[in-house]
Amino acid sequence: MGKGSHSVVIPITAEQARKEHALAVALRAAEEEAVCTLLANECSPDQVQAVLSNASGFAEAMTQKYRDPHGPPVACKDGCSWCCYQFVRVSAPEVFRIVRFIETELSPEARTEVVDRLRKLDGATRGLTPKGRVRIPKSCAFLVDGRCSIYSVRPLACAEFTSYEVKDCKRGQRLGFKSGGVIHEKARMIAFNSVQQGLADGLRRALPETDTAWLELIAAVVQAIDTPQAEQVWLSGGKVFAGAHLDTMRT
C-alpha cells in the first residue's frame, strides 16, 4: 500500500488467495463446532454468553497468530470514530451481552442517557437501507465524546473494523462505507468475519428454534431492552427482534 495513497491494495497471488480462503473456511468450521459442543449439554442464557466469549477470544487469538508482523500499522487510534456512523450487523448473543453490560455496568444516570440515545437513533434509522442510513448524520448511540462506551463488549463487526487510511474513513462517514472503500487489516478481517459466520452457523445448528437471523445493532438492542426476560424468550423461540432483521430493511 502506497503511503498516503487511497488504500492501494497490493495484488496477491492465486496461491495466497487460496490459502486465505482455506483459512477462512477452517476458522468458520472450527467456530461452528465449538458452538455446538458448548451448547450440547446446556442452553441457558449464561451458557450462550460463554459461547460468545469463547468466539471473541478465538477471533482475537487467530488475529494475533496470522497477523503479518511486517505489515504497516493501521490508522485506528483512541478517539477515532469515523466508522461509527453506519449500521452494524450483530447476532442475538451479541445483543444480549450489550444489554447485560448496560444493565449491570453503567450507572443509573449513564444507563438512562444511553437508552434515551438508543431510542432516538432507532426512531430515526429503523427500516432504512444502509444507503439511507448515510443520510442520517448521527453517530452510534454508544459513542460518547468520540469513544465507544461499550468497548469491552462491542460487536464482533466493530472489533474487526480497521483501516490504513483515515481519509478513507472520513469519506465513508460522508458517503457510506462501500465494499473496498476501506482496506482492513487482513488477518483481523479474516479471523473476525470467519468466526462471526461460524458463530451464526453453530447457533443455527445447536438452537434451531431460535431467531438466528442477522440483526441491526440499535434496533435489536432497543427491542431486547423492551422485552422482559428477553434472553430466555429468545432461547424458547420467542420473537424478540421483529423489525430488527437486516434482511427485512426497505430497499
Side-chain angles (χ1 to χ4, degrees), residues 23-33 194-195 197-198 201 204:
L23 175 61
V25 170
L27 294 180
R28 180 173 180 171
E31 175 58 27
E32 178 182 352
E33 290 306 314
S194 300
V195 169
Q197 290 287 353
D201 295 340
R204 280 192 292 271

Side-chain angles (χ1 to χ4, degrees), residues 85-89 125-133 216-217 246 249:
Y85 289 78
Q86 57 185 314
F87 282 139
V88 176
R89 185 182 75 171
T125 61
R126 185 181 294 196
L128 296 177
T129 62
K131 185 176 181 180
R133 172 67 175 92
E216 191 280 309
L217 171 64
L246 284 174
M249 289 182 172

Side-chain angles (χ1 to χ4, degrees), residues 56 60 76-80 83-84 97-98 101 106 142-144 146-156 158-162 188 192:
S56 297
E60 189 60 50
C76 310
K77 60 182 180 180
D78 186 32
C80 181
C83 61
C84 302
R97 179 167 65 173
I98 291 168
F101 182 88
L106 298 184
F142 295 114
L143 193 68
V144 179
R147 290 173 171 80
C148 179
S149 61
I150 59 164
Y151 189 82
S152 63
V153 295
R154 68 198 187 283
L156 293 172
C158 296
E160 180 279 318
F161 201 99
T162 57
R188 194 167 196 85
F192 273 82

Side-chain angles (χ1 to χ4, degrees), residues 102 106-121 140-145 149 225:
I102 292 171
L106 298 184
S107 68
E109 294 79 9
R111 187 162 58 247
T112 297
E113 290 174 1
V114 74
V115 171
D116 182 59
R117 292 196 302 272
L118 283 163
R119 295 192 189 285
K120 289 180 179 178
L121 184 59
C140 176
F142 295 114
L143 193 68
V144 179
D145 296 328
S149 61
I225 289 173

Side-chain angles (χ1 to χ4, degrees), residues 1 67 71-77 160-166 183-186 188:
M1 178 160 49
R67 172 174 284 155
V74 297
C76 310
K77 60 182 180 180
E160 180 279 318
F161 201 99
T162 57
S163 172
Y164 290 109
E165 297 281 358
V166 174
I183 305 304
H184 301 222
E185 194 278 311
K186 186 169 288 185
R188 194 167 196 85

